[in-house]
Amino acid sequence: MSVRCKFRCVAKTQRPHWKHEEGFLYEYEFHAVSDEGSAENANFFAATPSGSLKVGTVLDGTFGVGHDYYLDLTLAEQ
C-alpha cells in the first residue's frame, strides 16, 4: 500500500557542519497541509495523515520555505 501526503516547508535552519569547517548543515521543517489554500489541500487534509517532518541536508536550497511538497510513503521490502 502507498500513501501520498502533502506537506508545506515552514522553516529552514542552518548550522556549521561538524565535519567540515566551511560547510553547513541545513534542516528543513515540514507540516502537513491544512484545508486552506486550495481544493487539493482540503482533499489531502481530509484523507491523509497529519504530522510534521524534519529533513537535514548539506545542500542549500533543496527546499523552499512556503512551498508545498508531496511525500510518498511506500512499504519498503525487508
Side-chain angles (χ1 to χ4, degrees):
M1 183 174 127
S2 182
V3 176
R4 174 168 265 198
C5 306
K6 190 173 180 184
F7 280 75
R8 174 164 293 150
C9 183
V10 297
K12 172 187 169 183
T13 57
Q14 171 184 315
R15 65 179 186 271
H17 193 293
W18 56 275
K19 274 185 115 174
H20 305 286
E21 290 181 23
E22 297 187 23
F24 293 97
L25 294 173
Y26 303 92
E27 185 174 81
Y28 297 89
E29 183 177 349
F30 297 83
H31 293 171
V33 296
S34 69
D35 59 352
E36 300 173 352
S38 71
E40 182 184 69
N41 285 359
N43 288 337
F44 273 96
F45 180 74
T48 60
S50 63
S52 61
L53 172 71
K54 287 187 178 180
V55 175
T57 180
V58 296
L59 301 174
D60 188 15
T62 304
F63 303 105
V65 173
H67 293 276
D68 294 343
Y69 297 89
Y70 296 116
L71 173 64
D72 294 318
L73 301 171
T74 305
L75 181 64
E77 299 206 17
Q78 308 265 334

